[in-house]
Structures are given as structure tokens and as C-alpha cells.
């Protein structure tokens, strides 16, 4: 059975009460629109603050809430540690990274919560930082990264043995990070050479926006991951900006101060990467010319062209029908309110439901 949800990181809030309020104010409305009579999986962003606020009573109340509303926890977004909305995040979103004990402790706590909050599924994923932001990462950091990851994988194995619930860590490749391309992801797993008994506890969160920005090809990357026996713990269904020719100049209208909008531009000499839109603008001002540019800006997946430029919706059309139905899908368009005003015409819950309906229609059509 295919499981499809949306990531609650679209809603601001770092506390557990914020999580509950967002479920009440948006999550139930989305469920009513897309899954009124069937159980609805939840993709919860649980910030570090929220993870420390949960106690036995709150856990019991959440489990009861799930039963009351026919919902269940499917996946946790454990990527952003702290504030994710309404204040500049940029490269700080990767901190603390996998060189720190803080990231280890937070992720172990999320593993504990995944087991405690689970009601109807025996497998839950936790998406996390792609090791670190690439700038400032050194070759000498790898032993510490491996030790920290092993500490989490051993924790997840102990949870599995005790509870019967498999919690899987899902590293999420992203532009300008240590894990960026699928090639780097394959090299990472080869380098880490995790013990066989721990390999089932780690995989990747495949974010379609991120890999489309890298100009990767859907069928090829999926084939390479399968050949390397790397588990796709979940797919984040997302779409990026895509500008061709004269459209490239229009990308600057999407420059905003909260999130990092990495760009990858292509011309006859190959791919050129920029850590944010202002760096791309500097290159354009210097006279550099590109045939196409793709930008890490999560735009509504039901839109093929935004007027000023296009999107990478084509990647979703190519990629999603190739997936095994057992892989959970999580729509992740967290930047709705950062879009230009004309793209924010609908109430948020309606837009989220439209995205989920678009995925269902695409996959039903390809069955």
C-alpha cells in the first residue's frame, strides 16, 4: 500500500504545542480533503525543543488523538534543529551537524519518540542533515562523523530489538552539502562501510527538488541506488525552480532572506554551482551566460510553469512512477509563504491538499 503524507515543516513552531496546534488547524483539514474515510499518515517535523517537551502524558494524549482522528505517525523530519520560519535560517539549518554530540543526542531522542508515538506502523523514518554544509568540512572530520552515526544506528538497533519497531535514519542529500549528488552519496556509503548488522537502520531521504537541481536523471539515479543496495527510506516530493534562456534573469524575484536557495547553472562547459541567488546574480552581472539554471526553492508541485520561469515538475513525472509502492512519499513545500504574492492565492490547507491530490492522480494514471 502506498503511503502519502505532507511534511509539517510547512507550519511554523518549535514547541510540541505548536505541532498539535498545526495538526488541528491544518492537518485535519488536509485529511478531510484527501483521505476522509481512510487512515492518514503524518509527517511531523519535531524540533529539538518539542522533542524535549514530550513526556509520558503528552505521548499518551497524542496516541489517543491519532486513534480519534484515524491518523498515525509515518515519518519524522529531524533535519532543522531549531527555528525554521520567520527568521533568517540560510546555512544555519545544517547546524548542529553530524560532527556534534548535539546532533547525536537529538536524533537518538527522536528515535525514542518514534517508537513511543507509533500506533499503526512498524517502520518509521527520521530524515536528517546531509552530514554538514560542504564549506568548512574537512577530510579529517570523517572519523568523527562515522563514530557519531554509529552511535545513532546502535541506538536504533536497540530500539528495534526492544520494541519491534524499525526506525531508520534517512540522510537527505542537498545542494552545497557534503552529500549533494548521488555520486557523493554512493561514495559516502562505501566510505562508511557500516557493519552489516546496522545497515538496515540507515538509508536516504530522496528529495526530488534537490536532485533535480543537480541536473540528475530520475531513472539513472534510481538504478544506481538500487545497484548499490542503498535504501530509500522516504521520498520527499518537491519541485524546484527551472529557468531557461532569458528566464534566468527572472529568478531574482525569488531571492528572499530566510532560506538558502542554492543554484546550479548549465552551459557548454558544464555545471556551475552557487550557494545562493545573490552569488548567481554576481556571475550574471559579470557577463557569464547559461542555457539553464535550477534553484533550490520548493514551489508547489502542481505547477509546471510559474509565468516568470518553469519548475522541475517533469522530474516528479519521471521519478515517482518508477518507485516501489512500499516507499513512503512526503510532499514537502515548506516555502509557500515565501513565494511571490500571486502564487499564494489559496488557503494553505487547500494548497497542501492539491499537492497530495496531484501525486495521487499522477500515480493512478501510471498504474
Amino acid at each position: 500500500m502506498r503511503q502519502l503524507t505532507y511534511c509539517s515543516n510547512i507550519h511554523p513552531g518549535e514547541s510540541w504545542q505548536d505541532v498539535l496546534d498545526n495538526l488541528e488547524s491544518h492537518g485535519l483539514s488536509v485529511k478531510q480533503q484527501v483521505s476522509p474515510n481512510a487512515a492518514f499518515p503524518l509527517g511531523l517535523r519535531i524540533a529539538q525543543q518539542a522533542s524535549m517537551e514530550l513526556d509520558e502524558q503528552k505521548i499518551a494524549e497524542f496516541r489517543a488523538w491519532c486513534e480519534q482522528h484515524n491518523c498515525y505517525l509515518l515519518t519524522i523530519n529531524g533535519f532543522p534543529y531549531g527555528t525554521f520560519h520567520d527568521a533568517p535560517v540560510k546555512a544555519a539549518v545544517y547546524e548542529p551537524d553530524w560532527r556534534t554530540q548535539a546532533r547525536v543526542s537529538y536524533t537518538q531522542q527522536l528515535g525514542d519518540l518514534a517508537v513511543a508515538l507509533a500506533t499503526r506502523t512498524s517502520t518509521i523514518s527520521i530524515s536528517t542533515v546531509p552530514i554538514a554544509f560542504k564549506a568548512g568540512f574537512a577530510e579529517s572530520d570523517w572519523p568523527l562523523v562515522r563514530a557519531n552515526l554509529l552511535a545513532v544506528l546502535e541506538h536504533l538497533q536497540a530500539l528495534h530489538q526492544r520494541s519491534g519497531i524499525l526506525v531508520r535514519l534517512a540522510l537527505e542529500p542537498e545542494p552545497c552539502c557534503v552529500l549533494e549528488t548521488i555520486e557523493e552519496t554512493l561514495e559516502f556509503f562505501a566510505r562508511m562501510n557500516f557493519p552489516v548488522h546496522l545497515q538496515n537502520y540507515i538509508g536516504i531521504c530522496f528529495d526530488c527538488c534537490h536532485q533535480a537541481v543537480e541536473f540528475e536523471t530520475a531513472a539513472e539515479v534510481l538504478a544506481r541506488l538500487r545497484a548499490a543496495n542503498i535504501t530509500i527510506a522516504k521520498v520527499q516530493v518537491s519541485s524546484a525552480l527551472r529557468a531557461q534562456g532569458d528566464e534566468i534573469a527572472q529568478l531574482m524575484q525569488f531571492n528572499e532572506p530566510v532560506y538558502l536557495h542554492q543554484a546550479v547553472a548549465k552551459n557548454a562547459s558544464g555545471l556551475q554551482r552557487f550557494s545562493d541567488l545573490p552569488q548567481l546574480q554576481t556571475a550574471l552581472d559579470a557577463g557569464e551566460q547559461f542555457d539553464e539554471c535550477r534553484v533550490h526553492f520548493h514551489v508547489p508541485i502542481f505547477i509546471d510553469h510559474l509565468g516568470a520561469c518553469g519548475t522541475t515538475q517533469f522530474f516528479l513525472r519521471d521519478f515517482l512512477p518508477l518507485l516501489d509502492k512500499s516507499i513512503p512519499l512526503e510532499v514537502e513545500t515548506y516555502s509557500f509563504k515565501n513565494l511571490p504574492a500571486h502564487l499564494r492565492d489559496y488557503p494553505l490547507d487547500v494548497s497542501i491538499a492539491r499537492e497530495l491530490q496531484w501525486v495521487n492522480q499522477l500515480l493512478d494514471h501510471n498504474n
Side-chain angles (χ1 to χ4, degrees):
M1 181 186 72
R2 183 184 299 119
Q3 298 179 95
L4 170 65
T5 187
Y6 81 96
C7 183
S8 71
N9 68 351
I10 190 172
H11 309 305
E14 317 308 318
S15 72
W16 179 246
Q17 189 59 51
D18 290 329
V19 173
L20 298 178
D21 290 346
N22 289 327
L23 287 174
E24 288 282 350
S25 59
H26 297 289
L28 291 180
S29 175
V30 172
K31 180 190 185 304
Q32 182 59 34
Q33 293 174 72
V34 300
S35 184
N37 301 313
F40 185 65
L42 301 175
L44 296 186
R45 187 236 159 174
I46 302 179
Q48 191 271 344
Q49 177 186 337
S51 75
M52 300 306 294
E53 292 172 346
L54 276 156
D55 55 25
E56 289 186 10
Q57 179 179 341
K58 290 183 173 67
I59 289 167
E61 289 170 350
F62 175 78
R63 291 170 63 91
W65 185 94
C66 284
E67 289 304 308
Q68 177 186 353
H69 296 290
N70 202 13
C71 297
Y72 64 96
L73 178 64
L74 174 64
T75 182
I76 294 173
N77 186 328
F79 194 133
Y81 184 89
T83 301
F84 190 59
H85 286 273
D86 303 324
V89 177
K90 297 296 181 179
V93 74
Y94 310 109
E95 300 172 359
D97 62 33
W98 278 102
R99 293 171 290 187
T100 68
Q101 181 58 40
R103 177 61 63 174
V104 173
S105 299
Y106 169 51
T107 309
Q108 289 174 333
Q109 174 72 359
L110 292 181
D112 294 343
L113 292 174
V115 170
L117 298 171
T119 54
R120 302 193 191 184
T121 184
S122 58
T123 304
I124 295 175
S125 59
I126 301 173
S127 52
T128 190
V129 176
I131 306 304
F133 195 53
K134 192 170 280 184
F137 188 86
E139 185 75 14
S140 58
D141 291 328
W142 280 117
L144 177 58
V145 166
R146 187 175 189 274
N148 286 339
L149 286 169
L150 284 173
V152 170
L153 300 185
E154 289 166 354
H155 187 81
L156 299 183
Q157 182 190 39
L159 286 174
H160 190 198
Q161 291 172 342
R162 186 165 65 246
S163 69
I165 296 174
L166 170 62
V167 181
R168 185 175 280 131
L169 187 65
L171 297 158
E172 183 181 334
E174 182 170 320
C176 295
C177 293
V178 173
L179 301 188
E180 178 170 2
T181 64
I182 292 302
E183 179 66 29
E184 287 170 328
T185 302
L186 297 178
E187 291 172 355
F188 161 80
F189 277 92
R191 175 197 290 268
M192 291 294 99
N193 190 27
F194 293 117
V196 173
H197 68 282
L198 296 178
Q199 289 176 7
N200 196 33
Y201 301 98
I202 188 165
I204 66 167
C205 167
F206 189 104
D207 189 305
C208 295
C209 166
H210 299 170
Q211 303 319 128
V213 166
E214 296 292 338
F215 284 82
E216 300 200 312
T217 304
E220 179 185 346
V221 296
L222 192 54
R224 294 188 71 188
L225 290 169
R226 284 172 174 163
N229 201 29
I230 294 172
T231 300
I232 299 177
K234 71 175 173 183
V235 167
Q236 285 187 326
V237 183
S238 54
S239 191
L241 296 172
R242 181 197 193 195
Q244 297 174 290
D246 294 340
E247 293 178 337
I248 293 174
Q250 300 297 316
L251 289 171
M252 294 309 141
Q253 68 182 272
F254 294 91
N255 185 35
E256 54 81 35
V258 176
Y259 301 114
L260 203 61
H261 298 298
Q262 305 94 314
V264 180
K266 184 177 185 179
N267 57 22
S269 61
L271 300 179
Q272 189 168 339
R273 292 176 168 83
F274 303 93
S275 60
D276 208 348
L277 282 171
Q279 285 70 47
L280 172 64
Q281 183 65 63
T282 298
L284 296 174
D285 291 343
E288 293 197 49
Q289 295 185 328
F290 302 103
D291 302 315
E292 183 175 341
C293 183
R294 301 181 187 178
V295 177
H296 176 215
F297 192 122
H298 289 229
V299 293
I301 63 174
F302 50 76
I303 298 177
D304 177 58
H305 205 280
L306 298 162
C309 62
T311 75
T312 60
Q313 187 195 75
F314 70 92
F315 188 94
L316 298 176
R317 292 184 178 277
D318 291 344
F319 185 74
L320 295 181
L322 299 175
L323 289 174
D324 188 287
K325 288 183 179 181
S326 64
I327 298 175
L329 306 179
E330 180 185 43
V331 170
E332 195 210 18
T333 308
Y334 57 79
S335 48
F336 263 104
K337 67 180 179 180
N338 301 94
L339 290 167
H342 70 283
L343 297 173
R344 292 185 271 116
D345 293 341
Y346 295 92
L348 184 57
D349 59 321
V350 174
S351 294
I352 295 168
R354 286 182 68 191
E355 293 195 293
L356 297 174
Q357 290 159 353
W358 184 88
V359 174
N360 280 327
Q361 289 167 4
L362 170 67
L363 294 176
D364 288 347
H365 177 74
N366 282 274
N367 276 346

